[in-house]
Amino acid sequence: DAQAACPGGAVAQELRGEGFHRDLLVKVELGGTGEWAGGCTVAARTRLPPGVYVDPYELASLQRHNLTKAVLTPDVVDVEAPEYSATDLVVLLYLEPDPRCSRCFRAVLPVHGRYHRPAGDSEEALVALKSPEVLVCCCNNLLSTECWKPADVEAPCSGKKDYPCQWYSATHEPAYEELILQLPVGLKQHSSLVCVVTLLATVLCSGLILAAVCKHGHF
């Protein structure tokens, strides 16, 4: 049995922080013993739904400081778009070896929630984050064809453009559970009140600015 011949692994996700700005911790434990000590690159490929996004400018800053390595598809992200006009975002997150476990890898990815339409009966929007696909690239090692199959990944093996190698995905994906991100949203019945308060605040601030200009300005 092919599945019995491939030792099972594990994938776990955890959200840290509160509100719209979170850290997504991804942890992977690969099956087998000792075969990952030869310099293999391990990554997690995940598809983020329109309700969340990764800030490419923040990611670039983290990569310059060697804190997080990831590739975004598409690489241009509208960070101001609301959830209902945004699209999915595919992230290839390079994982670092966990010093406490020879077969374990982990990485942290900052994610941000998008604004949702006002809801009718709930003050929270639920965004489901599916488990990532585990990918492995071993340029110096041969992987078992029973356990690993070639994967279509347009990204370098080591995070560097001059290091092309074949990526592989597991033939038997480990079991997982969806991770639910809860985001605060407004209520539809509050829309009129919000509009009135916003209009009054705008008129008041404009009046104060105009009064200050008339009093202290030089014409």
Side-chain angles (χ1 to χ4, degrees), residues 1-123:
D1 180 65
Q3 187 167 359
C6 303
V11 181
Q13 295 186 108
E14 177 185 339
L15 281 169
R16 296 178 173 179
E18 300 291 338
F20 282 86
H21 308 288
R22 307 287 191 93
D23 285 332
L24 177 62
L25 171 62
V26 179
K27 297 184 290 185
V28 170
E29 181 178 355
L30 298 175
T33 56
E35 63 178 295
W36 312 113
C40 295
T41 298
V42 180
R45 180 167 59 179
T46 185
R47 179 178 293 274
L48 297 179
V52 293
Y53 70 94
V54 175
D55 187 337
Y57 302 103
E58 179 184 23
L59 180 61
S61 176
L62 293 173
Q63 293 189 140
R64 283 195 299 268
H65 294 87
N66 293 322
L67 297 177
T68 296
K69 289 194 299 182
V71 176
L72 306 181
T73 306
D75 57 357
V76 177
V77 180
D78 185 352
V79 299
E80 301 294 339
E83 177 270 340
Y84 48 85
S85 65
T87 58
D88 290 356
L89 177 66
V90 177
V91 181
L92 182 71
L93 178 63
Y94 291 87
L95 307 181
E96 296 294 332
D98 189 335
R100 297 167 296 182
C101 170
S102 62
R103 294 178 288 113
C104 301
F105 301 81
R106 57 187 288 154
V108 175
L109 179 71
V111 296
H112 307 277
R114 294 188 183 275
Y115 290 104
H116 288 62
R117 294 185 188 274
D121 55 359
S122 174
E123 296 184 357

Side-chain angles (χ1 to χ4, degrees), residues 196-207:
V196 171
V197 172
T198 302
L199 178 60
L200 291 176
T202 302
V203 172
L204 177 60
C205 293
S206 300

Side-chain angles (χ1 to χ4, degrees), residues 72-219:
L72 306 181
T73 306
D75 57 357
V76 177
V77 180
D78 185 352
V79 299
E80 301 294 339
E83 177 270 340
Y84 48 85
S85 65
T87 58
D88 290 356
L89 177 66
V90 177
V91 181
L92 182 71
L93 178 63
Y94 291 87
L95 307 181
E96 296 294 332
D98 189 335
R100 297 167 296 182
C101 170
S102 62
R103 294 178 288 113
C104 301
F105 301 81
R106 57 187 288 154
V108 175
L109 179 71
V111 296
H112 307 277
R114 294 188 183 275
Y115 290 104
H116 288 62
R117 294 185 188 274
D121 55 359
S122 174
E123 296 184 357
E124 288 184 333
L126 303 181
V127 180
L129 303 180
K130 295 184 178 181
S131 181
E133 176 188 14
V134 179
L135 299 170
V136 173
C137 180
C138 298
C139 290
N140 300 323
N141 294 329
L142 294 177
L143 298 176
S144 169
T145 56
E146 287 187 339
C147 304
W148 299 93
K149 58 185 177 182
D152 184 14
V153 179
E154 295 183 2
C157 184
S158 65
K160 300 178 181 178
K161 295 183 179 180
D162 56 350
Y163 203 65
C165 280
Q166 176 66 52
W167 286 92
Y168 293 86
S169 62
T171 54
H172 302 285
E173 289 294 327
Y176 68 90
E177 294 182 359
E178 286 186 342
L179 187 63
I180 302 298
L181 171 62
Q182 296 177 327
L183 296 174
V185 296
L187 296 176
K188 289 182 178 179
Q189 54 264 39
H190 294 164
S191 298
S192 299
L193 177 61
V194 171
C195 291
V196 171
V197 172
T198 302
L199 178 60
L200 291 176
T202 302
V203 172
L204 177 60
C205 293
S206 300
L208 292 174
I209 294 173
L210 181 60
V213 170
C214 293
K215 182 177 180 179
H216 303 288
H218 300 281
F219 299 95

